[in-house]
Amino acid sequence: MNSPLDPPREIAELRNALEAVRKSEEQFRTMLDDIPTLVWRTTADGSAEFFNERWFEYTGLAPDVAYGSGWMAAFHPDDLESLSKKWTEIVASRKASEVEARFRRHDGQYRWHLMRSVPQFDESGRLVSWCGTNTDIEDRKEAEERLSQAFDRIKKSEEELRTIIDTIPALAWSSPEDGIGDFFSKRWLSYTGLSHEQASGTGWVSAIHPDDLEGLAASWTRIRASGREGSLEARLRRYDGAYRWFLFQAAPLRNPEGKDVVWYGTNTDIEDLKQAESELRRREADLRKAQAELAHVTRTTTMGELVASIAHEVNQPVGAMTLNANSCVRWLSQLKDESPELQEARKALQRIVQDGIRTGKIITRIRALVEKAESVREPLDINSIFHEVIALSKNEMEQRQVLLRLDLAVDLPPVLGDRVQLQQVMINLILNGIEAMTAVDGAARELVIGTQLDRGNVLASVRDTGVGFDADKAEQLFTAFHTSKRGGLGMGLSISRSIIDDHGGKLWATLNDGVGATFHFSLPVPSDR
C-alpha cells in the first residue's frame, strides 16, 4: 500500500506529462527558431502573439515592440496602407492567403517578402489563431523585373522590326520548312488585298498568275531542296486584279542545331524593268533590222556600181569579139578555096581568144576588188558565242513562240576564229530555224542548239521543227541567190559556208527523222592548243 506521505500516482504522472509537454514545446520552439524562414502567429483578430527567433534577428525589433500591431513598423511606409487593408480582408475571410510587401531588415534595407497565413480552428470550428511565414523573394522579384524588362525590350524590338518590315518598299513573308506561308507583311497583304487568314497556308497561291503557278511551284521546291537562297520570277495579282511581274527571293535561317529551317523572303516589283527589257529588245531588233536594211542598201549600191563597172569594161571586148566573130562568119561564107580570107579568119579567131583572155582578167580584178579583208583570228569558246547570239535572238524567239533547248557540252576546247564572222553564221542558222517554224501551226516550235567534241573538231548543230527541205536539194541551199524565203536574197547560207570553209571547217544540212531540219558545222581544234 502507498504511504499517506507519498504523492498520489496521478500527480506523478501529471508531472511527467507536463515535463514531456515542456520538453516538446522547447524542441518545437528550437525547431521554429532554426528553420530558415520567419515564423509568426497571431490571435484570431490578427494581433501578433508569437515570432520565432529568426524573425527578431532579421528585423532587429524587440518582442515588446513587435507584439500586437507593432510588427507593422517593420514594413515599408509606402506598403503599410495596402498591407493593413489586405490583412483586414484576410482575417475577415478566415481563409489561407498570401500577400507581398517590402520588409525592413535590421540594417535598414527593405526587401520584398511573401507573407503566407493559415487560419487555425478548434474542434468546434472556432477560429483561434493565425500561423504564417515571411519568405524573402527579393531575388525573385529582381529576376521577374529583369525578365519583365527583357520582355518589354523584346516586345519593343518586335514592334520596331515589324514597323521596319511593314515600311520597306518590298513585300515580305516567311515560311516554315514545308513551304507554306505563315507570315505576310502589312504591305504584302495591302498589295494583294488578301487577309492574313486568306493568305496563310497555301492560300497565297491564289495571288499568283495561273500560267506561272506550275513553274513557280517547281522552282520553290527546288530552292527548298537545295537549302540555299534562291530567286524566281512570277506575276503577282494586285488588289485591283492587275498582274505585275515580281522577283521572288528567299533565304533560309536554321536553328542552332542546324535542323529546323525558316525561310524568309521578299517580293520586289520588276514590272517596269521587264517592260524596259522588252522595249530594249524591241529597239535592238529594230536596230538590227535597220542595220540589215542599211547593209542591204549598201550591198545593192555596191552591186550597182560593180555592175556598171563590169558593163563598161566588158562591153568593149565583148563588142570586139562580136564584130570579129561576124567578120569571120562572112569571110568563111565566102570561102571557096584556100585564100587570104582564110588567114584573116584565123587571125579573127586569134583576136577572139585574146579578147576572151582580156575579159577574164577584168573579172579577176573585179573579184579582187570585192574580196574581203583578212579576218582577225583568236581563240574562241563556241558555247560563249552561242550564248551571245541567243541573247540577241531572244526577243525574236518570244515573238514567234519558239521554245529554246540547249545541249551544250562542257569543257569544250577553244577554236581559232573570227568572233564577228562566227556570230554571223550562228545568227543566220538560228534565224533560219525560227523562220522555218513560223509556218508551223498547231505543233510545238522547238529550237535545239547543241555542241560536242568530235575527233579533234568542235561540232555544233541547230535543230528546228520547221518545214524542212527537199532531200535532193540539200546542196542547193548553200548556192548563192538560191532561196525559199519570200523576199530573200539567197546569200545567207552561201556566205555562212564561205566563212566556215575559210576557217577550215565544214557546213552542211540534214533532215530530221521526224519534222524539221538540222544545220551542222564543224571547226578544227588547233593542234598546239
Side-chain angles (χ1 to χ4, degrees):
M1 293 183 63
N2 293 333
S3 170
L5 299 177
D6 292 334
R9 180 179 300 174
E10 291 80 1
I11 295 176
E13 292 176 352
L14 180 59
R15 287 177 178 172
N16 291 337
L18 290 175
E19 182 63 21
V21 170
R22 184 185 64 79
K23 289 182 178 181
S24 177
E25 287 181 348
E26 289 180 355
Q27 292 176 353
F28 182 69
R29 181 61 182 259
T30 301
M31 181 185 68
L32 289 178
D33 290 338
D34 291 340
I35 61 175
T37 190
L38 314 184
V39 181
W40 48 267
R41 186 180 69 238
T42 71
T43 59
D45 61 0
S47 178
E49 62 179 2
F50 169 78
F51 299 96
N52 69 346
E53 190 63 29
R54 283 189 179 273
W55 195 96
F56 289 117
E57 290 175 356
Y58 186 89
T59 63
L61 295 178
D64 57 346
V65 175
Y67 289 134
S69 60
W71 54 273
M72 288 190 172
F75 286 90
H76 196 286
D78 295 343
D79 299 340
L80 277 179
E81 183 177 354
S82 60
L83 177 64
S84 177
K85 181 179 178 181
K86 181 65 176 178
W87 179 235
T88 301
E89 293 173 353
I90 292 173
V91 171
S93 71
R94 296 163 56 91
K95 296 179 181 179
S97 186
E98 59 185 35
V99 64
E100 295 180 2
R102 284 167 288 185
F103 200 51
R104 188 184 63 220
R105 201 165 58 187
H106 58 82
D107 58 0
Q109 180 182 2
Y110 286 95
R111 294 176 64 85
W112 281 97
H113 275 247
L114 173 66
M115 291 171 291
R116 290 191 175 95
S117 57
V118 178
Q120 303 293 317
F121 301 94
D122 60 14
E123 295 179 354
S124 64
R126 184 174 61 88
L127 178 64
V128 295
S129 63
W130 292 85
C131 292
T133 59
N134 288 11
T135 304
D136 191 321
I137 59 170
E138 179 70 23
D139 295 337
R140 191 193 78 182
K141 293 286 284 187
E142 291 180 355
E144 289 177 350
E145 180 64 23
R146 289 194 298 270
L147 185 61
S148 176
Q149 293 175 356
F151 280 141
D152 289 341
R153 288 194 298 270
I154 292 174
K155 184 178 180 181
K156 184 178 180 181
S157 297
E158 288 178 347
E159 291 175 350
E160 292 176 348
L161 180 60
R162 185 60 181 261
T163 300
I164 293 173
I165 292 175
D166 289 339
T167 304
I168 58 175
L171 315 184
W173 50 269
S174 69
S175 166
E177 194 168 8
D178 56 11
I180 65 173
D182 63 352
F183 166 77
F184 301 91
S185 68
K186 183 178 179 181
R187 190 179 287 268
W188 195 100
L189 298 174
S190 298
Y191 184 88
T192 61
L194 298 177
S195 66
H196 190 276
E197 292 72 19
Q198 291 172 325
S200 297
T202 58
W204 58 272
V205 300
S206 64
I208 307 299
H209 195 287
D211 294 345
D212 300 340
L213 272 177
E214 184 176 352
L216 182 142
S219 298
W220 180 218
T221 300
R222 185 171 61 253
I223 291 173
R224 288 187 287 112
S226 71
R228 298 187 297 271
E229 63 179 275
S231 62
L232 55 96
E233 295 179 2
R235 285 165 288 185
L236 191 66
R237 187 186 64 228
R238 200 166 54 190
Y239 61 89
D240 58 0
Y243 284 96
R244 292 177 64 86
W245 280 100
F246 273 76
L247 175 65
F248 290 62
Q249 294 176 295
L253 178 65
R254 299 183 181 274
N255 62 9
E257 291 76 23
K259 296 181 179 179
D260 297 332
V261 177
V262 178
W263 289 88
Y264 293 94
T266 58
N267 297 357
T268 305
D269 191 322
I270 58 171
E271 178 69 23
D272 295 338
L273 177 61
K274 295 284 281 189
Q275 291 184 1
E277 290 177 348
S278 179
E279 178 65 17
L280 179 60
R281 288 194 297 269
R282 186 188 66 78
R283 292 189 178 184
E284 288 176 347
D286 291 343
L287 177 60
R288 290 195 300 272
K289 183 178 179 181
Q291 289 173 338
E293 292 175 351
L294 179 60
H296 176 71
V297 171
T298 302
R299 288 196 302 269
T300 303
T301 303
T302 303
M303 288 296 293
E305 294 174 354
L306 288 174
V307 168
S309 177
I310 291 172
H312 176 72
E313 298 227 20
V314 172
N315 184 54
Q316 290 181 359
V318 169
M321 290 169 63
T322 303
L323 179 61
N324 288 323
N326 288 332
S327 299
C328 182
V329 170
R330 286 196 306 271
W331 289 326
L332 290 176
S333 64
Q334 298 173 5
L335 180 64
K336 294 179 179 179
D337 53 15
E338 284 291 328
S339 62
E341 286 81 3
L342 181 59
Q343 297 178 2
E344 292 297 328
R346 291 194 182 101
K347 292 179 181 178
L349 291 175
Q350 290 176 353
R351 287 194 293 271
I352 291 174
V353 172
Q354 292 173 355
D355 289 337
I357 294 173
R358 182 184 174 193
T359 302
K361 291 181 178 180
I362 292 173
I363 299 300
T364 301
R365 289 201 301 272
I366 293 173
R367 291 181 61 186
L369 178 64
V370 298
E371 207 170 72
K372 61 188 177 185
E374 184 178 356
S375 62
V376 178
R377 302 294 173 89
E378 59 182 343
L380 299 173
D381 179 6
I382 289 296
N383 289 346
S384 175
I385 301 177
F386 262 123
H387 281 297
E388 294 170 359
V389 172
I390 289 168
L392 296 175
S393 309
K394 185 178 180 182
N395 187 56
E396 189 73 11
M397 295 182 192
E398 291 179 352
Q399 291 181 353
R400 304 292 183 94
Q401 298 181 345
V402 173
L403 176 64
L404 175 66
R405 184 159 61 87
L406 299 180
D407 187 19
L408 306 180
V410 297
D411 299 328
L412 282 178
V415 298
L416 200 62
D418 186 302
R419 177 180 295 273
V420 175
Q421 292 181 353
L422 293 181
Q423 284 178 339
Q424 181 180 350
V425 173
M426 294 176 183
I427 289 177
N428 187 64
L429 297 183
I430 291 174
L431 293 181
N432 281 352
I434 295 173
E435 185 72 21
M437 293 185 287
T438 301
V440 176
D441 293 324
R445 298 175 181 177
E446 186 179 55
L447 194 70
V448 182
I449 298 176
T451 58
Q452 60 178 305
L453 184 62
D454 181 31
R455 292 176 294 182
N457 293 281
V458 172
L459 180 62
S461 62
V462 178
R463 178 188 179 115
D464 63 63
T465 57
V467 295
F469 55 84
D470 294 335
D472 57 345
K473 296 182 179 179
E475 279 303 307
Q476 292 184 19
L477 297 174
F478 303 96
T479 302
F481 303 109
H482 174 82
T483 180
S484 59
K485 298 180 184 178
R486 189 174 183 180
L489 290 177
M491 297 296 294
L493 289 176
S494 175
I495 295 174
S496 295
R497 173 170 275 189
S498 298
I499 292 173
I500 296 299
D501 289 344
D502 191 45
H503 281 72
K506 294 181 180 180
L507 173 62
W508 71 99
T510 59
L511 287 171
N512 300 333
D513 292 337
V515 295
T518 302
F519 285 79
H520 317 262
F521 70 85
S522 65
L523 294 171
V525 176
S527 59
D528 59 347
R529 66 185 179 88

